[in-house]
Amino acid sequence: MKVSTRIAALSSAALFALAAPAYAQQASTDAASDDAASSDDLGLSEIVVTGANAGRKKLETSYAITTLNEDDLRERAPLSIAEVYASAPGIFAEASGGEIGNNVYSRGLPNDNFRYVPVLEDGLPVWEEGAGAFTNADIFYRVDSTIASAEIVRGGSASIRASNAPGGVLNVITKKGTEELEGLVKLEWGDFDHYRGDFNLSGPINDKLLFNVGGFYRANNGMRDPGFTGNRGGQFRVGLTYLLDDGEIYVGYRKLNDHNIFYTAIPLASRSRGLPGLDAGDGTVVSNAFRNITVPDLFGTGTTSIDLGNGVHTNTDTFTVTFDNQLNDWLSVSAKGRYTGGVVDFNALFSDSVSGAQAFLDNSLGRLQAANAATVRAAYFDANTGAAIPTGNIANGLTLTQSLFSTLIDVDNLVGDLSFTAKTGANTLTVGYYYSQFNQRQQWNWNNLLTEATNQPRSIDVFGLDAAGNRTIGLTRNGIVGLHSNLQDFRDDVTINAVYVADTIEVSPALRIDLGVRYHHVSKTGTIARSAPRDLGDPTTILDDAVPVLTGAITPYTFSTGQWAFSAGANYTFNPDLAAFARYSRSFRVTPEFAQWFNCCNPVEDRIDLVEAGLKYSSPKVSAFVTAFYNNFPNVSFNNIVAGNVVTADAAARSYGVEAEVALRPVEFFELNLAGNLQSITYTGFSGTDANGPFDFSGNRIVRQPAMTLSARPILHLMDGKLDLFGNVVHTGKRFADVSNRIDLPAFTEVSLGGRWNITDNLSADVMINNLFDTVGLTEGNPRAGVIVGVDEAAFQGRPIFGRRVRAGVTFQF
């Protein structure tokens, strides 16, 4: 049965199942319906603020939206923003990179990162270019107890209010001051040497001025222990709210100072099993053996030290000011401003290539002999002790070339959003202006290391030997096998000006029409530093014979574009329990980075067509939100760095499918939440030329995304509500690691268990066991080897999900 047929059948069945009981109870009273809506488990009666002209019930929105309140977030216990996004059907998130640096995909839109689904904090981006090189949105924000709720808009309606949001948007809503003193303290432990403390305190200073203060600090080795503390640091927030007669002024500050270890692919025995000594669930090739290395600086005139223990170190300050006020009976104003500044020091080990140990020596011998004619063979040595390592003692008979990415980014972002909303009769009109200006300087000093294929491996050297066994010349130095594998210095100054108009027309009490348009202009200036190879003069090794270094010359560039987005939707409320909606949007994505830096790629993905329609139903025992969607993406920007070179393609894509959230509560003590999607995702065009010649993979499945995902979340309420036990079963369908669809990533199912015990009214305990059965599931292959055409290596390299891990905590609230 074809995917398209299954989608049509599932859509029809779901819509019919929703409509039939709803029409059967048309005669029920409004009071009974209101009670039903208020008790549904999808929050369809909740007021949402993201994507709406004004606060509106979720049942009344003309777009798909998933909401998570504070209890939902606590129960799910996400460690990353990607895991928050994963709560929404139609959103596929890869959280296997750790707490940061993850990938989020929406409805088959064909690129990773947060490219089409930005992250907002109280309506403004946490960083304007949240899908840039080394500026993932999740690098700039952490999940903690200062979050009040989260709203995930799916689909093109998000493009009217947010920059570069054709796939949707996650809006994290923070806690603000309260009129009574409230607080919580949470302490958490984990079996990966995890220790964390959260707190939040809010209350009044006087009748008009309220405060909120909170944050977290944690330290752990990381879910793949490298032999040192991989994650350490935290986030602190303080805010003041001044109450006006018809509005409020909020001033907030957030400090993020956090170190995170980032994980990429590791070698595996197969797609479902790790290597001996390198477990798929908790093994890592990051090690203390090469935590600190010294390499030439950008100009080759000195040296610089790189500490993998720093991980991805985000040190930023964020200031936010908002003003909301009802000016009179029909006009209100909203003004928001944010400044974010600081540094991201990105240090992480990335998978590169894997070779048989003997084959690597054989391939290196010719280079060593060319450098010193006395060389007759090559051999391995421990880079730290200098001791010889017989080839047969190289772990698993494999040597890994790993790329140590060291990237320093200075960031500076000023954002403002001013809008006026006029409500006259049945019409609500919003007119707004959005401004964002950001500067960034990125300096890349990447180098390659040589290691074994085992957990926390040794760093190894290769030397040529003469007939007597004496060293002749080195291929490496201190375990480094490549200097300045990618050396860059970029400076960007980007300004965005946008105007938007959104209009809501209440045609009747049942029918609401939403219209929106946005004009988005981007202008950019910048410079690219130029480099040239230089012999750095070490006669004992060929490593530094031709090292790229900066020459001092720069190339300036400019870029500008103006793009339009528009969206039209309608919501029809049959009764207080049932509503239907439909929407068409045309959107865009402007990515002003690689296109200018590497003189490649398409910086503008425009004419993105997005269509969605669905039904929403709520009752005490059954609630559902079912959406069918269609996306046409004629202008895909596809690029990837392979062996230091940018590979691009001309691409187009199309996806369609159905996604659903269903909440069942047949009895008071049991509920079951189901969510999932079924989709057809293909490249309608994909062609280009690489080192092997021209290629055309039109018609293939879009990389990394499954045709089907499904989650089931049963919850038991016991002991008169004092004890909740819950599970989570997530099935991820088969995917492909490369566009040629040569490298498949098998389907897998992950099971998690958890519980919460309300010991007293103020004290509770939580436990969470993720990946209970230690399932091996791969989220990607080895994109550094080839994401267009996957290559066969000496061992398969992939990035698995994390193995079984346990966290437990206690929370005191008042």
Side-chain angles (χ1 to χ4, degrees), residues 12 47 113 153 208 231 319 380 511 706 793:
S12 300
I47 301 297
N113 205 294
V153 173
K208 291 288 189 179
N231 298 320
F319 300 88
Y380 290 111
L511 178 61
E793 301 183 272

Side-chain angles (χ1 to χ4, degrees), residues 95-441:
S96 54
E99 295 186 26
I100 53 87
N102 292 300
N103 298 307
V104 177
Y105 305 84
S106 174
R107 294 177 173 175
L109 294 182
N111 260 315
D112 58 6
N113 205 294
F114 288 75
R115 184 183 295 276
Y116 308 122
V117 282
V119 176
L120 309 183
E121 178 188 24
D122 297 320
L124 293 177
V126 296
W127 168 253
E128 178 63 44
E129 184 46 84
F134 306 102
T135 58
N136 262 35
D138 57 355
I139 288 175
F140 295 89
Y141 195 86
R142 300 292 183 275
V143 179
D144 65 17
S145 294
T146 66
I147 297 176
S149 62
E151 298 180 350
I152 306 168
V153 173
R154 310 189 301 277
S157 62
S159 291
I160 304 304
R161 295 298 187 93
S163 298
N164 292 322
V169 67
L170 165 61
N171 188 22
V172 178
I173 299 168
T174 58
K175 294 178 180 177
K176 293 184 178 180
T178 53
E179 295 182 357
E180 294 184 4
L181 189 65
E182 300 176 4
L184 72 81
V185 175
K186 180 178 181 181
L187 301 177
E188 185 177 80
W189 302 265
D191 62 352
F192 47 103
D193 288 332
H194 171 73
Y195 303 93
R196 173 169 171 145
D198 284 71
F199 83 99
N200 193 80
L201 182 67
S202 64
I205 296 175
N206 56 43
D207 291 345
K208 291 288 189 179
L209 189 62
L210 314 176
F211 77 91
N212 189 85
V213 60
F216 81 96
Y217 182 87
R218 69 82 185 77
N220 59 56
N221 291 340
M223 286 171 283
R224 299 179 184 275
D225 184 3
F228 52 83
T229 303
N231 298 320
R232 65 188 188 279
Q235 183 170 259
F236 172 77
R237 181 195 306 278
V238 61
L240 295 173
T241 303
Y242 184 77
L243 302 178
L244 306 172
D245 291 340
D246 292 298
E248 66 178 35
I249 300 172
Y250 172 78
V251 179
Y253 167 72
R254 179 168 57 86
K255 176 68 177 182
L256 178 58
N257 190 349
D258 199 21
H259 298 259
N260 295 96
I261 187 168
F262 175 69
Y263 304 102
T264 56
I266 60 174
L268 302 162
S270 71
R271 287 161 173 75
S272 60
R273 184 166 56 89
L275 288 165
L278 185 59
D279 186 81
D282 60 16
T284 178
V285 292
V286 181
S287 173
N288 252 326
F290 46 85
R291 171 177 171 171
N292 292 282
I293 69 167
T294 300
V295 296
D297 63 17
L298 298 179
F299 290 92
T301 55
T303 60
T304 187
S305 295
I306 300 173
D307 183 359
L308 265 175
N310 279 336
V312 181
H313 180 199
T314 307
N315 190 357
T316 55
D317 299 281
T318 298
F319 300 88
T320 302
V321 178
T322 66
F323 169 69
D324 294 281
N325 196 43
Q326 187 73 38
L327 301 177
N328 53 43
D329 291 342
W330 61 275
L331 183 64
S332 63
V333 60
S334 175
K336 301 176 181 179
R338 171 167 297 149
Y339 170 79
T340 298
V343 174
V344 177
D345 186 10
F346 194 109
N347 303 282
L349 200 67
F350 283 72
S351 59
D352 194 330
S353 61
V354 57
S355 304
Q358 187 58 54
F360 186 87
L361 291 182
D362 294 342
N363 291 334
S364 302
L365 184 59
R367 294 177 60 197
L368 295 172
Q369 289 175 327
N372 189 312
T375 302
V376 296
R377 65 187 182 93
Y380 290 111
F381 295 83
D382 189 306
N384 290 311
T385 68
I389 306 174
T391 305
N393 289 350
I394 296 294
N396 288 302
L398 299 170
T399 56
L400 305 178
T401 301
Q402 300 286 311
S403 294
L404 200 169
F405 285 17
S406 179
T407 301
L408 185 65
I409 311 109
D410 288 304
V411 296
D412 185 281
N413 188 194
L414 179 65
V415 182
D417 192 313
L418 174 65
S419 65
F420 292 90
T421 298
K423 182 172 178 57
T424 55
N427 193 75
T428 303
L429 176 69
T430 297
V431 178
Y433 167 66
Y434 178 85
Y435 171 84
S436 181
Q437 190 276 332
F438 71 90
N439 298 300
Q440 64 170 342
R441 182 183 185 185

